[in-house]
């Protein structure tokens, strides 16, 4: 404050007598109430100095304005500035008042009334409120649009998901698990691939880990099936030590099919149909993998039972090596699907080198491999893929045919697992395989024998039984001889062919054929009237010789019959035909069989014997072609033999053509 | 479903189904009523009031109403999902028919395959026999034997 400072002195806050009455009573002024005291204090605040100051300023300004109004134009915002200044002053005064009063703690502001708003202020407030509300509605609009968009996406995703699920449900068992807090993308749906009818039966002890497949959503909302890597395994069968190039074909079929697909591949599916088909294929492969596991499990359990023809020679996780006799070893294994590109041999070698636990000595395996090499060279091994399929078919019939009480398909081709010999499924399979390999060897021997004799035919008889094979070796009389004979006698008595049947059951060779003279017929004098059938078993090493001997005896028999036809008496032995000449001499046509003879397996000798020949027989070297008593005729055809016979007949000097 | 098997389980199942249907209908009605009611309130508060404080209060209420509407819509969507799941796990009659039909188809296909295999076997046996006869009576074999 400028100017003179006025000082006011307050009365001491002492009660002063107001008056004393005659009686002596003191009269004090009445007590001032609290409100009255405040009012008095407020009234004591003097703002005169401020008011006078403002008045002086206004007068000065007005005098200035009037003096300069003629020369300058007024600023358009001048009034507003002045009004603001006045308002500022008033506000500062009031604030000072309030601070002063509150500092003295004498009075507080009870309330203030808002000054009445001006019309323009009302309109401005209204416009601000309207704009604010409009902005609120715009925000709401954006919020609704975003929500609608997300809901539409969710609807589309669910439509795809449930559409695919309904389509999969047509072929697979879909289950729902009630989850308390489902994770995003999983409502607890699963696909159950286990056949409950198998669970009660003995063969399957427990469901596979792959039996329950969880269904998820992918990023596009489509149904997704994620499998752990290497979860699917394919079945593999092969011969130990034999390269099987074809077996990798099946591996390539399930190559990487069970591995989890990245999201990019899922996006590459053109439409939902293809996606559903892919999932269906994936489930089918998992189903197949479960079946392979079941088969392998049953094979493992049966391998350790006492079974015919099966010896476990090696075992490892997901790998089993069996010896099926004849020095042959096979292996069965479960290979992860992503290893399908590896050759079977490399995988097998890995198992061999990495320490398979052989149950017998390792030499047995080596011996098996050597034998296998020989067979591989001779082509005796069947295609392992065929027997892989056969093994699966046998167990499939056993598992699902038995579980559903379905009659096992017998037909005329499929041989069901025989249980009469107690071999079991695996035993039957191994015996079938061993039989196939053995019968291939038999076939090779028969072919070699037939190839060495031009007038022999080999006919195969498919038995449609997995453990039985049959062939017939035909000896056909040439047509030229038959036509020549038909002029002389009835053709009914002429035999045009002789047959020798060879039947192999498992590894037993049974030979049956016409041949040696009938012993009973000999007593009756006419051996040719009785059909003599030889029936006997033999082994593989003796088979060629026996067949050739059988054929040679059939030729001898035929020649004997021909000789009898022309009225010449001849004596027949096993492999020789003898004619009696004058002077007690005999001439014999003798057959000699040699399977190793490259020029022909059956050769013929002409042997002459006189009455003294028996004494010298033992000293004669039979290999001497130039012997006086023996003449090597060579490997003769039937035509030549017939001609030779006729020559001998004419030499004997009897009979007519 | 065999309706004549017994009254107990069938009646209870029917009652449960009716109850569930009623519950679902109530949920639908509740959600739709919520959407309509909240939308009506949103329209009603479009009026601009004098006190700005009231306008702020109304803006908060509008946001709340909008959230409720979206929540009701989401609830309806979940209800639709439940209905689809119910349809998947309840329509066993048609599913069984479909399974039986597929089973019959596969059985027929298996029989057809067996017949085909039998025919193939017979043809293969006949062809083998013919080929063997031709081979053993052919000049090629004769030539081979003469070379030996």
């Amino acid at each position: 404050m400028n100017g003179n400072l006025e000082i006011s002195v307050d009365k001491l806050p002492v009660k002063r007598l107001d008056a004393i009455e005659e009686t002596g009573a003191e009269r004090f002024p009445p007590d001032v109430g609290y409100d009255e005291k405040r009012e008095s204090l407020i009234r004591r605040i003097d703002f005169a100095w401020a008011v006078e100051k403002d008045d002086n300023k206004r007068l000065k300004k007005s005098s200035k304005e009037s003096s300069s109004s003629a020369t300058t134009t007024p600023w358009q915002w001048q009034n507003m500035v002045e009004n603001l200044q006045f308002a500022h002053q008033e506000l500062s005064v009031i604030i000072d008042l309030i601070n002063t009063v509150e500092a003295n703690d004498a009075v507080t502001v009870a309330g203030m009334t808002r000054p009445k708003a001006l019309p323009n202020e009302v309109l401005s407030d209204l416009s601000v409120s309207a704009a604010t509300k409009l902005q609120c509605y715009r925000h709401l609009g954006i919020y609704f649009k975003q929500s609608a968009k997300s809901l539409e996406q969710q609807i589309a995703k669910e439509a795809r998901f449930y559409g695919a699920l309904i389509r999969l449900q047509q072929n697979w068992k879909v289950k729902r698990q009630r989850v308390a807090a489902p994770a995003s993308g999983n409502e607890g749906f699963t696909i159950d691939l286990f056949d409950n009818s198998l669970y009660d039966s003995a063969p399957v002890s427990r469901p596979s880990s792959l039996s329950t497949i969880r269904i998820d959503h992918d990023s596009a909302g489509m149904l997704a099936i994620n499998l752990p890597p290497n979860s699917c395994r394919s079945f593999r069968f092969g011969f130990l030590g034999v390269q099987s190039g074809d077996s990798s074909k099946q591996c390539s079929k399930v190559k990487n099919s069970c591995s989890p697909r990245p999201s990019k591949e899922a996006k590459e599916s053109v439409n939902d149909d293809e996606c559903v088909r892919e999932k269906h294929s994936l489930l089918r492969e998992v189903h197949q993998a479960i079946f392979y596991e079941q088969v392998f499990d049953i094979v493992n359990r049966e391998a350790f039972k006492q079974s015919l023809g099966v010896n476990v020679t090696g075992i490892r996780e997901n790998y089993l090596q069996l010896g099926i006799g004849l020095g042959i070893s096979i292996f069965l294994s479960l290979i992860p699907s992503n290893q399908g590109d590896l050759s079977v041999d490399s995988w097998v070698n890995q198992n061999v080198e990495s320490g398979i636990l052989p149950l017998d000595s390792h030499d047995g395996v080596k011996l098996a491999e050597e034998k296998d090499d020989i067979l591989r060279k001779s082509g005796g091994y069947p295609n392992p893929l065929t027997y892989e399929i056969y093994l699966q078919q046998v167990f499939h019939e056993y598992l699902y045919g038995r579980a559903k009480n379905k009659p096992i398909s017998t037909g005329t081709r499929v041989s069901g697992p025989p249980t009469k010999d107690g071999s079991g499924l695996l035993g039957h399979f191994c015996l079938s395989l061993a039989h196939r390999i053995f019968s291939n060897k038999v076939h090779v021997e028969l072919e070699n024998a037939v190839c060495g004799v031009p007038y022999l035919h080999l006919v195969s008889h498919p038995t449609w039984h997995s453990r039985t094979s049959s062939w017939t070796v035909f000896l056909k009389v040439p047509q030229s001889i038959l036509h020549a004979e038909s002029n002389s006698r009835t053709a009914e008595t002429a035999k045009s062919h002789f047959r020798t049947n060879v039947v192999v059951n498992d590894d037993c060779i049974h030979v049956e054929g016409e041949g040696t003279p009938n012993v009973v017929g000999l007593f009756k004098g006419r051996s040719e009237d009785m059909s003599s059938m030889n029936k006997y078993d033999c082994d593989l090493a003796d088979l060629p010789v026996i067949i050739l001997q059988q054929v040679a005896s059939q030729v001898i028999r035929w020649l004997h019959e021909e000789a009898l036809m022309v009225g010449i008496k001849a004596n027949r032995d096993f492999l020789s035909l003898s004619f009696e000449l004058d002077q007690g001499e005999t001439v014999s046509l003798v057959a000699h069989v040699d399977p190793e003879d490259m020029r022909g397996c059956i050769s013929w000798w002409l042997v002459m014997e006189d009455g003294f020949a028996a004494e010298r027989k033992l000293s004669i070297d039979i290999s001497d072609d130039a012997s006086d008593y023996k003449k090597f005729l060579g490997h003769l055809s039937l035509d030549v033999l017939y001609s030779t016979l006729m020559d001998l007949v004419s030499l004997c000097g009897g009979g007519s053509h | 479903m065999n309706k004549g098997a017994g009254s107990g389980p069938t009646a209870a199942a029917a009652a449960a189904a009716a109850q569930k249907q009623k519950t679902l209908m109530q949920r639908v009605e509740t959600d739709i009523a919520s959407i309509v009611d909240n939308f009506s309130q949103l329209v009603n508060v479009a009026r601009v009031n004098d006190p700005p404080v009231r306008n702020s209060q109304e803006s908060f209420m509008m946001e709340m109403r909008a959230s409720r509407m979206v929540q009701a819509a989401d609830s309806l969507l979940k209800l639709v999902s439940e209905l689809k799941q119910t349809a998947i796990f309840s329509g066993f009659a048609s599913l069984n028919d479909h399974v039986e039909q597929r089973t019959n188809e596969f059985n027929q296909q298996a029989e057809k395959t067996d017949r085909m295999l039998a025919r193939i076997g017979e043809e293969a046996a006949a062809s083998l026999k013919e080929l063997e006869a031709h081979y053993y009576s052919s000049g090629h074999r004769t030539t081979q034997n003469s070379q030996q």
Side-chain angles (χ1 to χ4, degrees):
Chain A
M1 286 188 301
N2 296 326
N4 297 326
L5 181 63
E6 295 181 359
I7 298 173
S8 62
V9 178
D10 293 334
K11 292 181 179 177
L12 290 175
V14 176
K15 278 196 175 178
R16 298 185 180 273
L17 283 174
D18 195 11
I20 297 177
E21 292 179 355
E22 292 176 353
T23 58
E26 295 176 347
R27 194 179 294 167
F28 291 95
D31 291 334
V32 180
Y34 183 69
D35 294 334
E36 293 176 357
K37 195 183 281 184
R38 284 193 301 173
E39 286 178 6
S40 64
L41 287 174
I42 289 171
R43 288 196 188 97
R44 289 190 62 195
I45 299 174
D46 186 9
F47 289 101
W49 62 272
V51 174
E52 289 178 5
K53 185 180 173 183
D54 292 339
D55 291 337
N56 291 333
K57 280 186 182 175
R58 283 182 190 170
L59 288 172
K60 284 179 183 176
K61 281 182 185 175
S62 61
S63 63
K64 281 183 183 177
E65 285 173 1
S66 62
S67 63
S68 62
S69 62
T71 57
T72 60
T73 57
W75 187 37
Q76 59 179 349
W77 300 106
Q78 188 64 36
N79 286 334
M80 189 173 137
V81 171
E82 288 172 0
N83 289 334
L84 287 175
Q85 286 175 350
F86 293 151
H88 181 262
Q89 285 175 0
E90 289 175 2
L91 197 57
S92 62
V93 166
I94 293 170
I95 290 171
D96 288 338
L97 168 63
I98 292 170
N99 290 335
T100 306
V101 167
E102 287 185 349
N104 291 330
D105 196 19
V107 65
T108 57
V109 178
M112 290 189 297
T113 59
R114 184 181 177 183
K116 187 178 178 181
L118 298 173
N120 58 343
E121 291 176 354
V122 171
L123 288 175
S124 63
D125 289 342
L126 199 63
S127 63
V128 168
S129 298
T132 306
K133 189 153 277 188
L134 180 63
Q135 189 66 22
C136 281
Y137 274 105
R138 283 183 180 153
H139 285 308
L140 282 184
I142 295 171
Y143 172 67
F144 280 137
K145 281 183 183 175
Q146 289 174 349
S147 301
K149 188 177 177 183
S150 67
L151 286 175
E152 281 175 0
Q153 288 175 355
Q154 195 172 349
I155 288 169
K157 283 183 182 179
E158 287 201 355
R160 293 181 71 197
F161 177 79
Y162 284 110
L165 192 62
I166 288 171
R167 289 176 66 178
L168 283 181
Q169 196 191 24
Q170 301 294 318
N171 297 309
W172 305 99
K173 200 190 313 179
V174 178
K175 288 186 175 179
R176 177 176 53 181
Q177 294 175 349
R178 303 276 184 183
V179 288
S184 63
N186 181 16
E187 286 89 7
F189 292 111
T190 58
I191 292 181
D192 187 6
L193 295 176
F194 186 71
D195 191 347
N196 292 329
S197 59
L198 298 178
Y199 192 68
D200 299 329
S201 60
V204 179
S205 59
R206 61 184 184 279
S208 166
S209 60
L210 292 172
S211 296
T212 302
I213 306 290
R214 202 183 69 176
I215 296 176
D216 294 326
H217 289 88
D218 62 2
S219 58
M222 190 56 194
L223 186 145
I225 295 173
N226 293 323
L227 294 172
N230 299 331
S231 58
C232 290
R233 291 176 290 187
S234 58
F235 192 77
R236 188 57 52 233
F237 167 82
F239 297 100
L240 200 64
V242 176
Q243 289 186 0
S244 51
D246 293 338
S247 61
S248 62
K249 286 181 186 175
Q250 197 167 357
C251 283
S252 63
K253 207 169 57 171
V254 293
K255 180 173 66 175
N256 292 329
S257 61
C258 293
S259 59
R261 295 173 179 271
S263 60
K264 289 184 181 178
E265 290 188 11
K267 290 178 184 175
E268 288 175 358
S269 296
V270 178
N271 51 27
D272 295 344
D273 288 338
E274 288 186 4
C275 192
V276 172
R277 276 194 221 106
E278 285 175 10
K279 298 298 177 289
H280 180 71
S281 300
L282 182 62
L283 289 171
R284 178 71 190 100
E285 285 160 5
V286 174
H287 195 219
Q288 210 169 22
I290 292 172
F291 171 69
Y292 292 149
E293 288 182 2
Q294 290 172 348
V295 170
F296 190 76
D297 185 40
I298 296 172
V299 165
N300 266 290
R301 278 192 271 125
E302 286 211 359
F304 289 97
K305 292 180 185 176
Q306 293 295 324
S307 177
L308 298 176
V310 179
N311 294 315
V312 180
T313 57
I315 186 168
R316 200 191 169 184
E317 183 183 5
N318 296 329
Y319 179 86
L320 186 67
Q321 189 174 315
L322 302 173
I324 61 171
L326 306 175
I328 302 169
S329 293
I330 62 173
F331 69 89
L332 298 105
S333 62
L334 287 177
I335 300 177
S337 299
N338 58 355
Q339 289 186 9
D341 289 337
L342 295 177
S343 66
V344 174
D345 275 349
S346 63
W347 197 89
V348 169
N349 290 332
Q350 286 174 14
N351 282 286
V352 171
E353 294 169 358
S354 60
I356 299 173
L357 304 176
L359 296 186
D360 56 358
S361 68
H362 202 60
D363 292 338
V365 176
K366 286 183 183 175
L367 180 62
E369 289 179 356
E370 289 171 358
K371 283 274 188 180
D372 293 346
D373 288 340
I374 294 171
L375 277 174
R376 181 180 49 181
K377 288 175 185 173
S378 64
Y381 280 104
N383 188 348
L385 185 59
T386 60
Y387 274 85
E388 184 178 317
I389 295 171
Y390 179 54
L391 179 67
Q392 294 172 23
Q393 188 260 340
V394 165
F395 281 97
H396 187 272
E397 292 270 351
Y398 174 66
L399 284 173
Y400 294 98
R402 169 180 151 174
K404 296 179 182 176
N405 292 325
K406 201 171 149 184
I408 295 176
S409 166
T410 53
T412 56
R413 260 145 297 285
V414 176
S415 59
T419 57
K420 293 179 183 176
D421 57 357
S423 59
L425 288 175
L426 182 62
H428 166 71
F429 170 77
C430 292
L431 288 174
S432 299
L433 182 58
H435 167 78
R436 176 56 48 207
I437 295 172
F438 184 75
S439 67
N440 286 342
K441 297 176 190 175
V442 169
H443 191 214
V444 167
E445 297 295 339
L446 289 175
E447 276 191 341
N448 291 337
V450 168
C451 285
V453 182
Y455 44 86
L456 286 183
H457 290 193
L458 179 65
V459 178
S460 303
H461 299 290
T463 60
W464 308 119
H465 193 278
S466 60
R467 288 162 62 176
T468 303
S469 300
S470 173
W471 298 269
T472 298
V473 179
F474 271 101
L475 169 67
K476 281 196 172 179
V477 178
Q479 290 294 323
S480 56
I481 299 173
L482 288 176
H483 288 320
E485 291 172 350
S486 63
N487 296 327
S488 59
R489 60 181 184 278
T490 57
E492 295 171 357
T493 58
K495 277 186 74 77
S496 61
H497 62 270
F498 299 87
R499 58 173 67 198
T500 301
N501 294 327
V502 179
V503 178
V504 179
N505 289 312
D506 286 334
D507 57 350
C508 298
I509 303 175
H510 181 76
V511 180
E512 177 181 322
E514 303 159 311
T516 56
N518 191 341
V519 176
V520 177
L522 285 175
F523 283 106
K524 293 189 176 179
R526 292 177 61 83
S527 62
E528 63 273 11
D529 291 340
M530 303 293 291
S531 62
S532 59
M533 296 295 289
N534 296 327
K535 299 178 185 179
Y536 45 86
D537 295 340
C538 69
D539 54 7
L540 185 63
D542 297 333
L543 179 65
V545 174
I546 287 175
I547 293 297
L548 291 171
Q549 285 178 351
Q550 187 73 32
V551 169
S553 68
Q554 288 169 353
V555 173
I556 293 293
R557 180 181 171 184
W558 169 64
L559 291 173
H560 181 246
E561 288 176 355
E562 293 298 323
L564 291 178
M565 288 294 176
V566 296
I568 296 296
K569 181 183 175 185
N571 295 322
R572 181 166 69 117
D573 201 350
F574 180 48
L575 289 180
S576 68
L577 186 65
S578 304
F579 299 92
E580 288 185 2
L581 299 177
D582 298 334
Q583 293 115 32
E585 292 177 340
T586 58
V587 58
S588 301
L589 197 59
V590 180
H592 173 70
V593 299
D594 182 6
E596 305 298 328
D597 190 351
M598 299 302 292
R599 293 172 297 175
C601 297
I602 299 177
S603 57
W604 297 92
W605 291 77
L606 190 66
V607 177
M608 286 197 61
E609 294 176 353
D610 55 11
F612 304 100
E615 297 178 1
R616 293 194 292 270
K617 193 178 272 186
L618 291 177
S619 63
I620 295 175
D621 185 1
I622 60 175
S623 63
D624 186 3
D625 292 343
S627 167
D628 292 336
Y629 297 93
K630 297 186 86 169
K631 175 104 178 125
F632 180 67
L633 300 177
H635 306 85
L636 304 178
S637 64
L638 290 182
D639 291 324
V640 176
L641 276 172
Y642 185 78
S643 301
T644 305
L645 175 68
M646 291 300 113
D647 293 340
L648 289 175
V649 165
S650 62
L651 185 65
C652 291
S656 60
H657 292 269
Chain B
M1 189 182 291
N2 188 3
K3 295 183 179 178
S7 61
T10 307
Q19 181 62 31
K20 186 170 182 183
Q21 183 181 4
K22 189 178 174 184
T23 306
L24 290 172
M25 290 298 294
Q26 282 179 352
R27 282 177 59 186
V28 169
E29 288 176 3
T30 304
D31 291 332
I32 293 178
S34 171
I35 291 173
V36 171
D37 180 52
N38 287 302
F39 187 75
S40 301
Q41 293 293 328
L42 276 178
V43 173
N44 287 335
V45 297
R47 182 187 180 86
V48 179
N49 293 301
D50 290 335
V53 174
R54 188 173 174 80
N55 286 327
S56 298
Q57 176 188 357
E58 286 173 350
S59 71
F60 287 125
M61 187 184 71
M62 285 158 62
E63 289 179 5
M64 182 270 296
R65 299 274 181 197
S67 298
R68 280 193 179 175
M69 285 177 66
V70 173
Q71 184 184 5
D74 190 58
S75 173
L76 279 175
L77 193 63
K78 284 186 170 55
L79 189 139
V80 170
S81 298
E82 284 185 24
L83 286 173
K84 286 182 180 176
Q85 290 181 17
T86 304
I88 288 174
F89 294 104
S90 300
F92 290 123
S94 63
L95 200 60
N96 289 338
D97 290 340
H98 178 78
V99 169
E100 283 181 11
Q101 182 189 355
R102 293 287 282 174
T103 303
N104 291 334
E105 286 176 7
F106 288 137
N107 286 335
Q108 288 175 3
Q109 199 168 358
E111 289 172 6
K112 184 181 171 185
T113 305
D114 285 340
R115 285 196 294 270
M116 186 190 301
L117 285 174
R119 192 178 71 247
I120 290 172
E122 289 168 0
E123 289 178 2
S127 298
L128 177 64
K129 196 167 185 178
E130 189 177 346
L131 286 170
E132 282 178 338
H134 279 290
Y135 169 71
Y136 287 111
S137 58
S138 67
H140 175 69
R141 182 163 180 253
T142 307
T143 307
Q144 278 184 336
N145 289 326
S146 65
Q147 285 176 354
Q148 288 179 0

